[in-house]
Amino acid sequence: MDDFKSIFLKKQNEIEKILSFYSSKQLSHYNQTIIEAMNYSLMSGGKRIRPIFLLETYKLFSDHTIIVEPFMAAIEMIHTYSLIHDDLPAMDNDDLRRGLATCHIKFGENIAILAGDGLLNRAFEVMIEGTLEHSLGDRGLKAAKCLGNKSGTYGMLGGQATDIIYEGCAMDMDTLTFIHKHKTSALIEASFMMGGYLANQEVDVVEKLERLGACIGMAFQIQDDLLDVYGNVEELGKIPMSDKKNKKTTYIDIKGVAESRNSVNDLLDEAMVLLHEFDYDRTKYLEAFITFLRERRY
Ligand code: GRG
């Protein structure tokens, strides 16, 4: 595990450089504040799991990794925009994120809304630039379309909207599963699928990657529910018990702690089985990642 953690840290450092390279740059003093707000949140740490999944999935098939870098930056930009907006007073109204003041606390609500919008736009700009620069054609377009789909109304945004509509209401397992699958899992599914599309894989392979992402995404969200109750502010970098504060039904409310933990293990077991259908010599890092996820505390 120590070995895994040092490689994880190295990969995170590489991603910081990629994000910094693709981040929006200040063109005049007029756009200073919005660029500062966007980059404050983008460069504020975070586990960077989505770009890592994208890169490692691509590496199941190819080593020419330079072409995936704009897409790694783009998925983290979309993720960061969703966190900025999720923290707003109109949504979860949180003051702390990744151990720092949330974007609206630091820059004001109006600028934070625009910073989220700015990152969303920039994500598509860098994917299109990357597609043109590396002549990726269909590969780049399919990856960008996938990210648009999985982060939009049919994915993360749709899940977030349902989550808001059901706030404070009794909820059954089907509704909660819909919310988790869309709000959290969809973007993780995209990270695996985009790696497949960029490596020019056929539909059946991308579908397998989508299921792999779904297992990891659902396990990740159930763990998030558990950590919201049992985690601490130092490890999480955010204030726990946010679900209770926002009157949200969680997996634990419906299934209980023991069964929630069992679901995490079952989903990660399925992910491991799916992963073993790929080239054995290339799956080591993702295998270690699944093992790390089983025990994650943050
Ligand atoms: C506002 C359109 C819109 C969507 C918001 C991301 C999201 C959807 C809501 C966040 C609420 C939340 C805490 C969901 C649980 C799973 C999740 C996405 C956790 C945060 O992701 P991590 O743990 O965060 O990868 P870091 O900070 O490590 O990047």
Side-chain angles (χ1 to χ4, degrees), residues 96-230:
L96 197 66
R97 168 72 64 185
R98 295 170 167 174
L100 295 171
T102 46
C103 195
H104 65 274
I105 293 289
K106 177 106 178 148
F107 292 92
E109 200 178 342
N110 44 12
I111 291 294
I113 293 170
L114 294 175
D117 295 340
L119 286 166
L120 173 57
N121 282 285
R122 179 74 183 151
F124 283 89
E125 188 182 357
V126 300
M127 284 190 291
I128 293 165
E129 256 173 24
T131 300
L132 294 172
E133 190 187 336
H134 299 291
S135 303
L136 298 180
D138 275 6
R139 292 193 282 161
L141 292 176
K142 284 179 185 168
K145 181 186 169 198
C146 175
L147 186 53
N149 174 274
K150 292 280 183 187
S151 62
T153 324
Y154 303 119
M156 176 181 77
L157 193 149
Q160 177 79 350
T162 312
D163 194 20
I164 288 169
I165 288 160
Y166 273 86
E167 230 169 69
C169 301
M171 206 188 280
D172 59 19
M173 198 59 198
D174 277 356
T175 312
L176 186 67
T177 304
F178 178 92
I179 292 171
H180 281 6
K181 167 117 185 87
H182 290 80
K183 187 178 88 168
T184 306
S185 179
L187 205 55
I188 294 179
E189 289 162 33
S191 64
F192 284 87
M193 294 168 76
M194 290 166 78
Y197 280 128
L198 290 164
N200 216 7
Q201 294 302 297
E202 298 294 338
V203 175
D204 59 324
V205 177
V206 176
E207 278 172 5
K208 209 178 279 175
L209 292 169
E210 184 176 23
R211 179 65 201 153
L212 175 56
C215 291
I216 292 180
M218 283 302 280
F220 190 79
Q221 175 60 61
I222 299 168
Q223 277 175 319
D224 208 77
D225 286 1
L226 286 161
L227 287 171
D228 194 55
V229 178
Y230 296 107

Side-chain angles (χ1 to χ4, degrees), residues 260-287:
S260 299
R261 292 208 166 113
N262 287 341
S263 298
V264 170
N265 283 324
D266 290 348
L267 285 159
L268 293 179
D269 286 347
E270 186 183 341
M272 204 64 112
V273 170
L274 284 164
L275 191 60
H276 286 148
E277 292 185 27
F278 295 95
D279 182 352
Y280 186 74
D281 289 336
R282 289 179 175 263
T283 54
K284 292 282 166 294
Y285 188 75
L286 282 173
E287 274 172 36

